[in-house]
Amino acid sequence: MVCRMQCSSPGPRKGRARPTGRTGRPRSAEADAAILDATRAALVELGWGKLTMGDVAARAKVAKTTLYRRWASKNELVVDAVAVLFDELELPDRGCLKDDIEGVVLQFAALLARPETKTALMAVVAESTTDDALRNRIRSAVVDRQKRLVVQGRERAQRRGELPKDTGDPEGAASAARSVDMIFDVIAGAVVHRALVSGEPVDAAWAARFTTLLLGGLGSLERED
Amino acid sequence: MVCRMQCSSPGPRKGRARPTGRTGRPRSAEADAAILDATRAALVELGWGKLTMGDVAARAKVAKTTLYRRWASKNELVVDAVAVLFDELELPDRGCLKDDIEGVVLQFAALLARPETKTALMAVVAESTTDDALRNRIRSAVVDRQKRLVVQGRERAQRRGELPKDTGDPEGAASAARSVDMIFDVIAGAVVHRALVSGEPVDAAWAARFTTLLLGGLGSLERED
DNA sequence: CTCTTTCGCTACGAGTCGTAGCGTAACTCT
DNA sequence: AGAGTTACGCTACGACTCGTAGCGAAAGAG
């Protein structure tokens, strides 16, 4: 889902993309990497509004036409450039649910503190409100990467006995899906809002208070179902 | 804080701005209103990325130079155009804290559902990460308008006895301020994230579940302090 | 060696930006 | 009423960005 005309296939050979199946000169994987690096660098220096395709091409030492051969618009380029940053997110096992949540909150906050992330993320979300293709790209490249952590943390807490296990029936499954969505929106939303809108630091003290609130709230939600 | 060179003063006379004190032709208040209306209309049709100053000027039937005499950039214009929408937000007394929160959540969600709001809000926040002046403008024009509702709802709940009253000491005041900030970020963040990032509806059922979570969490937070 | 595709490069029309200059309109003060 | 001051509409402008087209050269596949 990266390039414009070619199909990207897994398993590049010798630093080049596309192992076989097509003839002709293959696309340079180095160029791809250089372009994405240049995009992130430009985001840091210029921000979203002043970033131009020509500038990115110059930084990547690549012709502007090469850029347009792979990405149709600035939006899609930036989504791909930022998406890889979300691969860093992990959920190390800290022993209990509370510590796991605090860890992921701080990790997410550290990611949002990076200038290239903060300036790009909101901008592409804004554009996605009037561009369905972009919305889907963001969902698969960014949102799903994050939501996976919630599912993972939930399962881990269930194994520890900190959360009740899922019932097999459809009713329970629907309830579980609603919970995951809710938790995801609350965590990601609160962290983003504090960091980018309120503009105040997401530090360990805040993370601890927030986690207390979330866990207490989950208990109430559980009791009501 | 609206115009570029002149000081806006309250109490216009006869549809014109600035009652007295300065000489010369006064700025047209009708033009201001027409420009802001045109900006919102253009946001609906074009979105943030394709909105141009020339287009807004044409819609408002105003010269482009008039636009630049009042707003230095597209960012500031859009902030002012969207800010007034947040004046609609109120906190009607529904009798108990739970209903008050659900009400404001749904009201905020309805505001975010409007295309001109959703497409503009995230965009200006994105730009504000690299523009301090814009950040302050957003804070005073949008964020403070929302936070006021949290303070108001909290005081009302305290009068009802649903929340403990503030202690007079500095420690208690700091704790109260932290709570207001936390509640604000959680509510606004979660609603924005669900509506704009997850792209799922903020309906009455979601609002009820979210409110249950929040109130339960507040209880836990309270017990720990 | 031939075929195919990508590459860098240049050039281009279209569109936007933000400003300057001008004559005119609107309002205040004397 | 007249003078002074400021905002307005209009036109024009250079600078910039966009996205594309056309070219010859480079890089791999068969």
Side-chain angles (χ1 to χ4, degrees):
Chain A
M1 292 294 186
V2 164
C3 47
R4 204 176 176 184
M5 307 171 64
Q6 282 190 333
C7 298
S8 72
S9 33
R13 191 182 60 165
K14 210 191 66 163
R16 302 289 177 173
R18 204 175 68 271
T20 181
R22 286 184 58 161
T23 163
R25 177 176 177 177
R27 285 195 173 167
S28 160
E30 287 87 351
D32 260 0
I35 290 171
L36 294 176
D37 286 345
T39 304
R40 285 186 288 270
L43 280 172
V44 173
E45 280 185 34
L46 307 173
W48 164 266
K50 296 181 180 176
L51 180 146
T52 67
M53 297 294 260
D55 186 78
V56 171
R59 285 172 194 258
K61 297 192 171 77
V62 156
K64 199 174 59 167
T65 44
T66 300
L67 244 168
Y68 281 105
R69 286 188 190 103
R70 308 185 184 204
W71 286 277
S73 71
K74 192 168 103 172
N75 290 330
E76 306 193 2
L77 170 60
V78 170
V79 171
D80 285 352
V82 173
V84 299
L85 298 177
F86 286 80
D87 285 331
E88 300 175 7
L89 292 176
E90 287 177 3
L91 193 62
D93 192 332
R94 294 166 192 260
C96 68
L97 179 56
K98 176 175 168 55
D99 290 351
D100 279 359
I101 295 178
E102 283 188 29
V104 80
V105 162
L106 290 174
Q107 223 178 102
F108 187 40
L111 184 58
L112 279 182
R114 299 171 61 165
E116 66 268 35
T117 317
K118 74 166 67 164
T119 194
L121 199 60
M122 304 299 273
V124 293
V125 169
E127 291 300 313
S128 77
T129 61
T130 53
D131 182 341
D132 287 339
L134 186 61
R135 155 167 303 223
N136 292 332
R137 202 185 191 96
I138 293 175
R139 192 184 307 278
S140 60
V142 176
V143 176
D144 288 348
R145 275 187 173 85
Q146 297 175 265
K147 199 179 255 184
R148 163 180 58 85
L149 299 182
V150 176
V151 175
Q152 189 179 338
R154 189 167 175 277
E155 288 169 354
R156 191 181 291 165
Q158 286 175 330
R159 281 199 301 274
R160 292 198 197 102
E162 294 170 304
L163 290 177
K165 294 214 189 301
D166 285 340
T167 59
D169 56 288
E171 162 64 23
S175 168
R178 277 203 309 270
S179 281
V180 169
D181 286 348
M182 169 81 73
I183 294 166
F184 174 55
D185 284 327
V186 170
I187 293 180
V191 173
V192 168
H193 199 274
R194 177 164 175 94
L196 301 191
V197 180
S198 296
E200 293 182 51
V202 178
D203 52 18
W206 188 87
R209 284 173 53 83
F210 172 73
T211 304
T212 302
L213 185 148
L214 180 62
L215 286 179
L218 285 181
S220 302
L221 215 52
E222 202 65 55
R223 262 171 256 126
E224 205 168 70
D225 273 356
Chain B
M1 291 295 186
V2 164
C3 47
R4 205 175 176 186
M5 308 170 62
Q6 281 190 333
C7 297
S8 73
S9 35
R13 192 182 59 166
K14 209 188 65 160
R16 302 289 177 172
R18 206 178 64 268
T20 180
R22 286 186 57 160
T23 162
R25 176 176 177 176
R27 286 196 172 166
S28 159
E30 287 87 352
D32 260 0
I35 291 170
L36 294 175
D37 286 345
T39 304
R40 285 186 289 270
L43 280 172
V44 174
E45 279 185 36
L46 306 173
W48 165 265
K50 296 182 179 174
L51 180 144
T52 67
M53 297 293 262
D55 186 78
V56 171
R59 286 173 194 256
K61 297 193 171 86
V62 156
K64 199 173 57 164
T65 44
T66 299
L67 246 170
Y68 281 104
R69 286 189 189 102
R70 308 185 182 203
W71 287 277
S73 71
K74 192 169 103 172
N75 290 329
E76 306 193 1
L77 170 60
V78 170
V79 172
D80 285 353
V82 173
V84 299
L85 298 176
F86 286 79
D87 285 333
E88 300 175 6
L89 292 176
E90 287 176 2
L91 193 62
D93 193 331
R94 294 168 192 261
C96 68
L97 179 56
K98 177 175 167 57
D99 290 352
D100 279 359
I101 294 178
E102 283 188 30
V104 79
V105 162
L106 291 173
Q107 224 178 99
F108 187 41
L111 184 57
L112 279 182
R114 299 172 62 166
E116 65 268 34
T117 315
K118 74 166 68 166
T119 194
L121 200 59
M122 304 299 272
V124 293
V125 170
E127 291 299 315
S128 76
T129 62
T130 53
D131 182 342
D132 286 339
L134 185 62
R135 159 169 301 229
N136 291 332
R137 201 186 191 97
I138 292 174
R139 192 185 306 279
S140 60
V142 176
V143 176
D144 288 349
R145 276 187 172 86
Q146 297 175 266
K147 200 178 255 184
R148 163 179 58 85
L149 299 182
V150 176
V151 175
Q152 189 179 339
R154 189 166 174 277
E155 289 170 352
R156 191 181 289 166
Q158 286 175 329
R159 280 199 300 274
R160 291 197 196 103
E162 294 170 303
L163 289 177
K165 294 214 188 300
D166 286 340
T167 58
D169 57 290
E171 163 65 22
S175 169
R178 277 202 309 272
S179 280
V180 168
D181 287 348
M182 169 81 72
I183 294 166
F184 174 55
D185 284 327
V186 170
I187 294 180
V191 173
V192 168
H193 199 274
R194 177 164 176 94
L196 301 191
V197 180
S198 296
E200 293 182 54
V202 177
D203 51 18
W206 188 88
R209 285 173 53 84
F210 172 74
T211 304
T212 301
L213 185 148
L214 181 62
L215 285 179
L218 285 182
S220 302
L221 215 52
E222 203 65 55
R223 261 172 256 124
E224 205 167 70
D225 273 357

